[in-house]
Amino acid sequence: MSEIDWTAINAKLPISKDPESKAKRKALFSSFDPNGNGILSLAEVDKAVRDVLKIDEIFDAKPAIMRAFQIAKNCTKSKRGETGDDYIEFLEFRYFLLSLRQYFEYYVAFKRADASGDGRIELIEFKNAQDLIETWVGKIDPEEEFKKIDKNGGGFILFDEFCEWAIAKNLDLEDDDDDHQ
């Protein structure tokens, strides 16, 4: 992946709990909600990442958007009944932005290790990226760690598997701007 401007990305994601950030989130939520119904569909979120946030790197990271959406829409019980649980409401929006930032970081790490660019990491790629991976999570035995990550035994690591591992390992890219929270 090309160089990521983490400072610019963080500036566009108002995730703090202070009143100023909350006001920015309200305005941002309204911009994400073109029909004003108070809920965001995955399609609206996807379009808004491109047209409102204008962060092409995240727009191109569909797996990160999907994971953040799925997690956020389920973080609170909807006041709209079962229908609302398929959408993001304002109370879930901060969590969506936090998750989007975190899963984008995992996506960047995944892409850096996926040397072939085929959307999966093979053992040889994992071994070749060992030095880089160790800057994110500390010392690892690549073969042993690969087996832990590849839960379905498919012989390669998928993004979902990588995310579970990244969370457990508290993965942190060396070049991201950690002052975002």
Side-chain angles (χ1 to χ4, degrees):
M1 287 195 84
S2 61
E3 193 69 27
I4 305 292
D5 186 348
W6 291 104
T7 302
I9 288 171
N10 293 335
K12 292 182 177 187
L13 302 174
I15 58 176
S16 296
K17 291 184 176 181
D18 60 85
E20 181 183 341
S21 292
K22 186 174 183 179
K24 287 180 182 177
R25 266 194 313 281
K26 281 185 177 182
L28 191 59
F29 185 89
S30 292
S31 298
F32 271 53
D33 185 16
N35 55 12
N37 64 357
I39 54 176
L40 305 176
S41 69
L42 177 58
E44 288 171 331
V45 165
D46 187 50
K47 187 175 184 319
V49 167
R50 182 191 66 208
D51 298 345
V52 176
L53 290 178
K54 296 181 180 0
I55 306 174
D56 291 338
E57 297 91 346
I58 294 180
F59 179 71
D60 293 338
K62 298 298 185 210
I65 295 171
M66 285 285 299
R67 290 210 43 131
F69 182 85
Q70 294 301 325
I71 287 170
K73 77 179 182 69
N74 294 323
C75 75
T76 62
K77 192 77 176 143
S78 175
K79 294 178 178 142
R80 297 172 184 261
E82 287 184 31
T83 304
D85 285 337
D86 293 331
Y87 301 92
I88 294 175
E89 298 177 43
F90 180 72
L91 289 175
E92 299 163 322
F93 191 57
R94 178 177 175 272
Y95 196 64
F96 167 73
L97 296 174
L98 283 163
S99 298
L100 183 63
R101 167 59 174 81
Q102 193 61 52
Y103 282 102
F104 179 62
E105 183 173 350
Y106 298 153
Y107 181 80
V108 170
F110 182 85
K111 295 304 268 183
R112 288 178 182 173
D114 177 20
S116 68
D118 65 355
R120 56 192 199 175
I121 301 170
E122 296 178 28
L123 178 58
I124 189 69
E125 291 173 310
F126 197 74
K127 285 180 173 180
N128 290 342
Q130 179 178 355
D131 291 342
L132 184 60
I133 292 167
E134 287 181 346
T135 66
W136 307 332
V137 300
K139 194 88 174 126
I140 61 165
D141 175 321
E143 289 192 30
E144 189 177 302
E145 212 63 34
F146 186 89
K147 286 178 190 169
K148 286 183 202 171
I149 302 168
D150 181 20
K151 296 215 183 217
N152 67 2
F156 45 82
I157 299 168
L158 300 174
F159 183 65
D160 284 350
E161 293 170 321
F162 185 82
C163 287
E164 287 181 29
W165 174 78
I167 291 166
K169 286 288 198 177
N170 199 24
L171 183 146
D172 185 29
L173 290 179
E174 73 287 355
D175 62 341
D176 75 321
D177 179 4
D178 281 330
D179 296 334
H180 68 278
Q181 292 183 2

